[in-house]
Structures are given as structure tokens and as C-alpha cells.
Amino acid sequence: MAGGLVRSDAQQNRDRVLVAARAEFTAHGPAASLNKIAQRAGVGPGTLYRHFPNAQALLVAIIAEDVAVLCATGRELLGHPDPARALRDWLRAVAVHATAMRGLVATESLEAAGSALAGCHDEIRAVAAALLERAGAGDDVDDVLAVVNAVAWASERLPDSPGRLDRLLELVTRGLPKPSW
Amino acid sequence: MAGGLVRSDAQQNRDRVLVAARAEFTAHGPAASLNKIAQRAGVGPGTLYRHFPNAQALLVAIIAEDVAVLCATGRELLGHPDPARALRDWLRAVAVHATAMRGLVATESLEAAGSALAGCHDEIRAVAAALLERAGAGDDVDDVLAVVNAVAWASERLPDSPGRLDRLLELVTRGLPKPSW
């Protein structure tokens, strides 16, 4: 943390705004009110707008936080004793992330934020490539990520069925190297 | 054919309207003009409306035609000497059909036509179940169709890449019984 053990006031305000924004976007979608977010975070609207000029900047920051957590998990899994299991576990986390992200924002606003999120995609891609290589899978990393994302999308759209996402993931990853347990 | 070797005038008009509608929808999407379709087919608007009261009825008829061809192909493949190859070939045809269908119509109008298209889905499901069973695959037919549709969707959305649909299908069907050639 820059400057020592205590997060700066600015950093603390930014964190509080992000927590509040996550709650408001989850409840109201991309149309959530920025003023309500500021209120919920206990900061003035000016403080919010200084950090995040618009709703899209907030959404991008939330997604970037999620991707950072996802990728940290993936890098830890690079030390897992069963590389094929590590790969499968992480691909499942990617599918869950893809669904959560689509739940948070409308596709339209995400696509407009394309370039801001390109860095997130590159980070996910790099972790996926490392896990695939360690598991000895010869598949193209973009193909594998496309399939995982597609399966997440399909299980969102289909009628609720317990365990469907896991069944679909099992089906599409059955051709990857096998876990030893 | 009812009534002998020659198709009735009504049937011929209906066929001509469907050919014209396919061309107009392909060019202009679901907003295609019904009057232009009638003109292209060489029939009066009254004749068109007698067969198809609105654009959705036309779209449903086009899709039903495509599904009939798709399922006839699937039933022929039930006689193919390599059941695993037959299954794969037909799943590829299903993916191509799913993409063509999405190209033809907006998701909205399709969902509104839900019940009219339920029969199409049942027909595809029955053929898929027969091909899966003959290939000795123990997978749930709805899961397999969900995965194939998801992969078609993914390859539509991703930047054009030659052979991508085939690579994705290979990846997701690698866990199914193996073709012998």
C-alpha cells in the first residue's frame, strides 16, 4: 500500500464507493443512480465524480477488481499438485465470473467499455495459457476461453436446472487432460 | 404431394412467397417489408396475407422448413456406418443451422414465436437423442444441444477466424464416442 499501513482517505473513499456501487448495480442494473451510490457510500457526489466520472467508469472498476481476484486465484492454482484439476477448477471460476459480469452490466455498456476492459481480458488469457500449458493441454487458449464463456452464457439462458453449469463444463472439458483425482 | 404430380396453385404461391421472404429477411432482417416480399414473389399482397398474416408467421415457416431439412439429414445419418461420425456431422449441421437462424431473425421475434417453434425444437431433440444413443454416448441430449448452440453463438460473436467453429466443435465433442475414421 502506498505511503504505509493506513490506506489514504482518497483510497478509502474510492473503496467505499466501489462497495456501494456493486450493491446498487446488483439491485438496479446499469441504470443505478450515481447520487444514490454516493449517498450509500457516505461521500459527497463531488468525491464520487472525482474518482469515477460516470457509471461506466464504475462498472469497469468493479469488473477490474473481480478479474484481479479471479487471476490471483488462477496464479495460486499454478502451484496445485494436480495441474489438470487446477485447470478445471479455474475454468469453472471463469464461467462463474462471466455470468456474474453479465448479471452486473448490460452487454451494451460493456461493449462500449471494450478498450478499458481489454487489459482484464489479457490478464485472464495469460493465466489460462499458463494453466493449460502446465496441464499439458495443446488447445488454443482463446478457443478454450470461448467455449467456457459460451457454456456460461448457455446456462444463464436455459431454464434453471441444478448442476447444469457443472454438467456442461464437464462435457466440454472432458477432452482436456484428465485430473488424477 | 396432395392431389397428384402437380403442386396446387396455392401451394406454389406459398412456396414462392417463402423463397422471396428468405431473400428479403436475409437482406433486411426482421424489418423486411411484406409488400416487397409479395412483389418479389409475383403475388398480390392479399395472397401473401392469406398464407402469412404477419412477418413472424413467415419467419416461423422459414425456420420450420430449415428444421425439416436438418432433421431429414439427421434421420439419414442414422443409417451411416460410423455412428460417432454421424453424430458429429449432424451436431455440426445443428450449429450451422443455429447460426443461420440467428442471422435470419432477431432474438426478440424468435422468443415471441416460442410456442410455434417448440415443435421444431422437439423434432431436433428427437433426432439428436437417436444419434446419441446409436453412438453409445451417455450424455443428456439437452446438455449436448445446449453446448452445440453455445459454441455456434460464440463463433458468431468472436472476430472471424477460419475454421473456428470446427475447432470449437472438436473441442467440445472430444469427450463423445470417437469416430473410427
Side-chain angles (χ1 to χ4, degrees):
Chain A
M1 225 169 287
L5 289 172
V6 182
R7 288 171 97 73
S8 70
D9 280 0
Q11 182 64 47
Q12 280 183 30
N13 281 339
R14 187 179 185 280
D15 289 351
R16 270 208 301 271
V17 168
L18 280 182
V19 169
R22 193 181 287 271
E24 288 288 323
F25 282 124
T26 303
H28 306 291
S33 141
L34 294 199
N35 287 336
K36 277 221 176 130
I37 291 171
Q39 219 176 342
R40 189 175 191 132
V43 305
T47 301
L48 184 147
Y49 286 100
R50 199 155 51 241
H51 288 289
F52 304 102
N54 52 45
Q56 187 171 297
L58 268 169
L59 285 169
V60 167
I62 290 172
I63 292 168
E65 259 192 358
D66 286 350
V67 169
V69 171
L70 177 71
C71 290
T73 306
R75 282 186 294 267
E76 268 175 44
L77 281 167
L78 282 168
H80 191 287
D82 182 343
R85 166 64 49 209
L87 173 62
R88 276 175 171 69
D89 286 355
W90 196 65
L91 292 180
R92 185 182 199 286
V94 170
V96 170
H97 162 77
T99 292
M101 197 175 75
R102 267 189 292 269
L104 200 61
V105 294
T107 313
E108 285 65 37
S109 27
L110 256 192
E111 277 169 8
S115 64
L117 290 175
C120 286
H121 181 71
D122 290 347
E123 202 186 343
I124 290 177
R125 199 176 174 281
V127 175
L131 284 163
L132 278 165
E133 198 193 338
R134 186 163 173 264
D139 293 287
D140 181 89
V141 60
D142 293 318
D143 289 349
V144 173
L145 288 175
V147 160
V148 167
N149 186 41
V151 159
W153 168 84
S155 71
E156 289 158 39
R157 292 179 74 248
L158 290 166
D160 258 350
S161 156
R164 173 161 6 233
L165 178 63
D166 286 311
R167 287 202 316 278
L168 298 187
L169 283 170
E170 193 279 324
L171 183 55
V172 300
T173 60
R174 208 185 289 157
L176 296 178
K178 300 267 177 289
S180 48
W181 74 80
Chain B
M1 224 167 289
L5 288 171
V6 181
R7 287 171 99 72
S8 70
D9 279 0
Q11 182 65 46
Q12 280 183 31
N13 280 340
R14 188 180 185 279
D15 290 350
R16 271 210 300 272
V17 167
L18 281 181
V19 169
R22 194 182 285 271
E24 287 288 323
F25 283 125
T26 303
H28 305 293
S33 140
L34 294 201
N35 286 334
K36 278 222 176 130
I37 291 172
Q39 218 176 341
R40 191 176 189 131
V43 305
T47 302
L48 184 146
Y49 286 101
R50 200 155 50 240
H51 288 288
F52 305 102
N54 52 46
Q56 189 171 295
L58 268 169
L59 286 168
V60 168
I62 291 172
I63 293 168
E65 262 193 354
D66 286 351
V67 169
V69 171
L70 178 71
C71 290
T73 306
R75 282 186 295 266
E76 269 176 43
L77 281 166
L78 282 168
H80 191 285
D82 182 343
R85 166 63 50 211
L87 173 62
R88 277 177 169 71
D89 286 355
W90 196 66
L91 292 179
R92 183 179 199 287
V94 170
V96 170
H97 162 77
T99 292
M101 197 175 74
R102 268 189 291 270
L104 201 60
V105 294
T107 312
E108 285 66 36
S109 26
L110 257 192
E111 277 167 9
S115 64
L117 290 175
C120 287
H121 181 72
D122 289 346
E123 201 186 345
I124 290 178
R125 199 175 173 281
V127 174
L131 284 163
L132 278 165
E133 198 192 338
R134 186 162 174 264
D139 293 288
D140 182 89
V141 59
D142 294 317
D143 288 350
V144 172
L145 288 175
V147 160
V148 167
N149 186 42
V151 159
W153 168 82
S155 72
E156 289 157 40
R157 291 179 73 249
L158 291 166
D160 258 350
S161 157
R164 171 155 15 228
L165 177 63
D166 285 309
R167 288 203 315 278
L168 298 187
L169 284 169
E170 193 281 322
L171 182 55
V172 300
T173 59
R174 209 185 289 155
L176 297 178
K178 299 266 178 289
S180 49
W181 72 81

